[in-house]
Amino acid sequence: MKRIRQISVFVENRPGRLLEVVELLGKHSINIKALSLADSTDFGIVRLVVKGTDDAIRVLKENGFTIAETHIIACMIDDKPGALANVLKILADNQINIEYMYGFASPIEGKAVMVFKFSETEKAEKILSENNIQMLSQEEIREI
Amino acid sequence: MIYDDEMETLPREALEALQLKRLQHTAERVYNLVPFYKRKFDEAGVKPEDIKKLDDLKRLPFTTKQDLRDNYPFGLFTIPLEQVVRVHASSGTTGKPTVVGYSKRDIEVWSELMARSFAAAGVSRGDIIQNAYGYGLFTGGLGAHYGGERLGATVIPISGGNTKKQIMIMKDFGSTVLTATPSYTLYLAETLKEMGISRDEIKLRVGILGAEPWSEEMRRMIEEKLGIDAIDIYGLSEILGPGVAIECIEAKHGLHIWEDAFIPEIIDPETGEVLPDGEEGELVITTILKEAIPLIRYRTRDITRIIKEPCKCGRTHRRIERIKGRTDDMLIIRGVNIFPSQIEALLMETEGVEPHYQLIVDRINNLDTLEVKVEVSEKMFSDEIRHLQKLKERIEKDIKDLYGITVKVTLAEPKSLQRFEGKAKRVIDKRKI
C-alpha cells in the first residue's frame, strides 16, 4: 500500500489566514512538499503534504486549527504531453472516481507528481499497480 | 425537595386569598407613597380600594422600564433611603440603568425565595455551590449567594470569568452545584475538555442556569457534556433578581413562579389586553411582598405563557413556560418574527455544529439580511468541500422551512466566535433604521 498522509485544514476566507498556517509550519521547520487550496465563498480547505506529518498535526491543533487526516495516492508520471491523459484514461476505463487532485513538478528530471483522492482508494491502487503506474511511498515523497 | 412545605403547596384558594390581601396592601402603599403611582392610578381612574378581587388587577396601570428610567435613580422608592440596605441596577446598555433598592426585609424575602428555588432544583444543605454569576450591581451573584447561605449550603463566591481558575476550584473544592449563565456553562464544559479533565474528576451534579433565554436543545447539550441536571431559573432585577421562578427537578418543565410574592399575568404586547392561561404573550409581574420598590404590573418584555396544569411535584404555584425570547430581542426580518433561541434550538439539532453561533442582521438595498455564523466541529470536518457545503445548505433549508426566509449560513472555525462569561450577545444588528 503506497499511501501518503495528507493534512487538511479548515480556514475561513479572510486575508492572512492561509499565511498563518504556512508561517506556523515554517516556524517549526516543517517543510511543505505539496499544497492545494480548495475554496468556497466563505471558507477554504488547505490540503498539505509535509515532511513531518505528526509534528504538523500537533502544531496546528495546538494553535486551534481544525484538521483532518486523509490518505491520498501520489503517482509519479512522465513530465510530457499526454502522460496524465494516459493515467486518467486507465482510471476512467475502470470506473474509478476522482474526488480531487492536484499536481506538482518533481525535481527529478522529466517527472511530475500527481496527487489523487479517490472515492475507492483500494480499488484505485490495484488498478494503478496493474497498469504499472508508479506510486510514491511516504518515504519517497519526503526525499523528492 | 420542598423547602417551605406550607407555602409552596398552599391550596389555590388560600394562595389567591393571600395574593389579594397582599395586592390590596401594595396598591395602597404605592398610591400613598409614590407620586408617580398616584398620578398613574388617578389617570386610570382607579383607587386602591377598588381592588376587591384578584381580577381587578387588570384595572391598574402598567409600569415599564422607561418609568424606572424616568424616575432615576430613587423616584419609585416607597421607603426613605436610610431604610434601603442595598441597591442594584441593570447594566444600562441602552441608556440610564434601572435602579432598584431593597429593605432589610426585602433581602430576607429574596433569600428565602432563592433558597426555595435552590431546593426545587434539588439542592440541599451539604451541597457546595460554585456561584459563577457576576457579583456587583447585577443581581445574579448576590441573589444566589444569599439564597445558598439561607438554605445552609456552602457558597463559593467566585463570580464570573477566570475560567481556568473556576475549573481548578470546581475540581479541588468538589463543587456540586454551578450557578451561571447557560452560555458560560458551555464554555466551562469546553475548557474542561481542553484541559483534559474528565467528568469523573469533578463532582458537579446540578447547574442552575439563567439570565438569558436558552433552548431545550441547549439543556440537552449541557447535560450531556457535563453529566448534570441543568435547571432553568428566572429573575429580573426590577422584580427581585434570580429566584422569581424556577423549574423543579421533578418535572423540569415550566418554572414555578412564587405566587405568594408575585402575581403573573400574560398580556398581548400590542394591545395590553390580558390573555387567558395557556396563551403566549408578554409576562407582566406585580410584586406583592416588596417593601422598597414595589412594582405594579411591570412589563418584563419576556415572552412566555402560563401553564395552568398542576405540576407533579406537588407545588401549587403555577408555572411559566421557558422564556421564548424578549420582545426587544425579537428580530423582525422581512416582517417575520424571529427569536434567537429558536435558531439556537435548530442549530443544536444539527449534527456537527458546535453550540456557538452568532446572528448578524443587516439591511442591504432596503432588504433585511440575516447571516447565521456557526462553528463547525472537528468531528464534522471533512476534507471535501461538498460535505461542508451540504451542511451549510441543510441549515439554510431548515431555517427556510421554519420561517420561510432565506438566510446565509457561514461556517466558522471552531472557537472563532466570541465566548461569554455573562450573558451572551448573539445578535449583531447592523441595520440603521
Side-chain angles (χ1 to χ4, degrees):
Chain A
M1 299 284 162
K2 288 198 168 177
R3 293 184 191 172
I4 309 286
R5 297 170 73 193
Q6 174 195 261
I7 305 168
S8 303
V9 190
F10 181 77
V11 286
E12 283 171 24
N13 267 4
R14 60 185 151 90
R17 198 57 180 152
L18 179 60
L19 175 67
E20 283 170 50
V21 175
V22 171
E23 256 182 354
L24 197 60
L25 296 176
K27 219 172 67 192
H28 288 85
S29 308
I30 296 163
N31 196 16
I32 301 171
K33 304 304 285 186
L35 179 151
S36 112
L37 175 63
D39 76 322
S40 74
T41 46
D42 43 58
F43 63 89
I45 297 172
V46 187
R47 300 180 184 124
L48 297 158
V49 176
V50 299
K51 199 169 169 178
T53 310
D54 289 329
D55 285 345
I57 290 174
R58 184 178 49 76
V59 164
L60 288 165
K61 274 197 170 172
E62 276 172 10
N63 284 275
F65 284 98
T66 304
I67 59 152
E69 192 185 327
T70 329
H71 286 95
I72 46 138
I73 290 178
C75 296
M76 177 96 98
I77 59 170
D78 288 339
D79 187 7
K80 66 175 191 201
L84 177 61
N86 180 41
V87 176
L88 294 184
K89 176 134 199 337
I90 292 165
L91 294 170
D93 288 347
N94 288 282
Q95 297 290 308
I96 303 284
N97 189 37
I98 301 167
E99 298 278 350
Y100 56 80
M101 62 182 283
Y102 51 101
F104 58 103
S106 153
I108 298 170
E109 190 63 33
K111 293 286 178 187
V113 178
M114 294 307 303
V115 170
F116 291 96
K117 168 80 192 300
F118 297 109
S119 21
E120 295 165 284
T121 310
E122 257 172 57
K123 193 172 160 200
E125 264 177 328
K126 191 167 158 275
I127 302 294
L128 288 168
S129 109
E130 279 168 14
N131 287 274
N132 298 318
I133 310 284
Q134 188 189 351
M135 285 174 275
L136 297 176
S137 67
Q138 190 79 33
E139 289 69 38
E140 284 165 332
I141 210 157
R142 281 168 70 108
E143 300 315 320
I144 62 169
Chain B
M1 191 198 80
I2 294 183
Y3 177 77
D4 182 345
D5 206 36
E6 194 199 330
M7 198 51 94
E8 291 179 55
T9 59
L10 202 62
R12 290 295 313 171
E13 213 168 283
L15 184 57
E16 283 167 17
L18 180 69
Q19 283 185 315
L20 177 62
K21 203 179 86 196
R22 288 179 173 173
L23 172 64
Q24 287 165 333
H25 178 66
T26 302
E28 204 180 289
R29 285 189 64 231
V30 295
Y31 187 79
N32 293 321
L33 298 167
V34 186
F36 163 82
Y37 275 120
K38 180 170 191 314
R39 202 178 61 241
K40 290 273 263 191
F41 277 45
D42 288 345
E43 277 168 16
V46 60
K47 294 251 179 286
E49 50 273 27
D50 295 336
I51 309 286
K52 301 238 180 340
K53 50 188 192 309
L54 269 184
D55 194 49
D56 291 329
L57 174 63
K58 62 171 185 260
R59 300 179 58 186
L60 298 182
F62 291 118
T63 309
T64 63
K65 202 176 181 77
Q66 190 58 42
D67 294 330
L68 270 86
R69 289 204 183 110
D70 292 346
N71 290 283
Y72 174 85
F74 309 131
L76 295 184
F77 286 16
T78 54
I79 54 173
L81 212 52
E82 54 264 34
Q83 287 172 31
V84 171
V85 299
R86 198 196 301 162
V87 285
H88 278 286
S90 71
S91 51
T93 38
T94 49
K96 287 277 193 199
T98 48
V99 181
V100 284
Y102 300 82
S103 69
K104 197 158 180 292
R105 203 195 72 170
D106 287 337
I107 298 285
E108 292 278 308
V109 169
W110 185 7
S111 308
E112 191 73 11
L113 295 180
M114 193 58 215
R116 251 192 225 177
S117 303
F118 271 125
V123 180
S124 60
R125 197 178 262 272
D127 267 311
I128 301 173
I129 301 171
Q130 179 153 342
N131 187 18
Y133 281 124
Y135 281 67
L137 283 178
F138 171 60
T139 50
L142 282 164
H145 183 107
Y146 275 62
E149 287 189 352
R150 169 65 65 111
L151 183 67
T154 306
V155 183
I156 308 169
I158 190 160
S159 194
N162 223 336
T163 309
K164 293 228 159 107
K165 192 174 176 189
Q166 293 268 3
I167 286 169
M168 184 190 82
I169 296 240
M170 187 179 287
K171 193 165 160 261
D172 297 348
F173 293 13
S175 313
T176 53
V177 178
L178 173 72
T179 49
T181 58
S183 46
Y184 188 54
T185 305
L186 262 182
Y187 181 48
L188 274 170
E190 260 177 19
T191 313
L192 261 170
K193 200 172 163 217
E194 262 166 38
M195 288 169 75
I197 298 174
S198 84
R199 178 61 195 91
D200 304 335
E201 292 173 75
I202 56 163
K203 293 202 174 120
L204 210 61
R205 193 167 56 74
V206 183
I208 294 167
L209 316 177
E212 65 190 21
W214 52 310
S215 60
E216 204 48 41
E217 288 70 20
M218 180 106 154
R219 181 205 320 260
R220 199 171 37 77
M221 193 160 282
I222 289 172
E223 293 192 333
E224 193 185 294
K225 285 189 181 222
L226 284 172
I228 61 172
D229 280 305
I231 304 289
D232 192 11
I233 187 167
Y234 176 73
L236 63 170
S237 69
E238 293 84 354
I239 294 302
L240 187 81
V244 172
I246 191 159
E247 285 178 333
C248 56
I249 197 160
E250 293 91 339
K252 267 197 215 168
H253 175 226
L255 301 90
H256 291 277
I257 181 160
W258 302 125
E259 290 190 272
D260 54 322
F262 315 104
I263 304 180
E265 295 169 280
I266 299 291
I267 62 160
D268 177 330
E270 304 290 326
T271 63
E273 184 200 341
V274 179
L275 300 172
D277 279 5
E279 277 190 39
E280 187 177 283
E282 181 181 344
L283 176 67
V284 168
I285 298 176
T286 300
T287 68
I288 48 175
L289 257 189
K290 271 182 88 179
E291 225 170 33
I293 172 170
L295 296 178
I296 302 292
R297 303 189 83 198
Y298 182 72
R299 293 188 60 158
T300 65
R301 304 183 188 193
D302 289 317
I303 304 289
T304 181
R305 63 183 190 91
I306 288 175
I307 302 171
K308 56 182 167 192
E309 293 77 24
C311 184
K312 65 175 175 190
C313 71
R315 289 175 182 84
T316 50
H317 299 236
R318 282 179 301 171
R319 290 170 289 169
I320 52 171
E321 192 79 69
R322 170 191 283 285
I323 303 293
K324 190 174 176 187
R326 291 173 58 83
T327 54
D328 44 1
D329 270 356
M330 188 176 77
L331 291 166
I332 303 178
I333 312 270
R334 282 170 250 157
V336 180
N337 296 350
I338 292 173
F339 289 105
S341 55
Q342 284 176 302
I343 300 225
E344 174 185 299
L346 190 144
L347 292 176
M348 292 194 180
E349 282 171 1
T350 309
E351 203 181 330
V353 170
E354 287 286 316
H356 295 281
Y357 66 97
Q358 206 166 48
L359 306 179
I360 300 155
V361 190
D362 208 344
R363 181 165 286 179
I364 296 163
N365 299 328
N366 289 317
L367 192 67
D368 293 335
T369 59
L370 175 62
E371 180 186 355
V372 181
K373 278 188 112 168
V374 291
E375 289 186 1
V376 180
S377 74
E378 188 126 329
K379 62 173 190 249
M380 183 61 196
F381 176 55
S382 149
D383 73 322
E384 286 169 39
I385 294 269
R386 63 191 170 106
H387 286 156
L388 295 175
Q389 287 285 13
K390 225 185 270 170
L391 173 71
K392 194 177 128 112
E393 282 157 18
R394 186 183 147 195
I395 301 170
E396 284 171 352
K397 185 183 175 296
D398 285 349
I399 296 178
K400 174 120 196 178
D401 287 348
L402 182 66
Y403 291 119
I405 61 163
T406 303
V407 302
K408 177 181 190 269
V409 168
T410 307
L411 300 182
E413 290 172 20
K415 316 240 161 25
S416 67
L417 300 180
Q418 203 188 335
R419 299 299 191 257
F420 301 93
E421 292 177 341
K423 298 185 190 211
K425 278 201 183 64
R426 308 270 195 205
V427 181
I428 300 171
D429 199 336
K430 295 175 170 169
R431 287 178 294 192
K432 290 181 183 69
I433 298 168

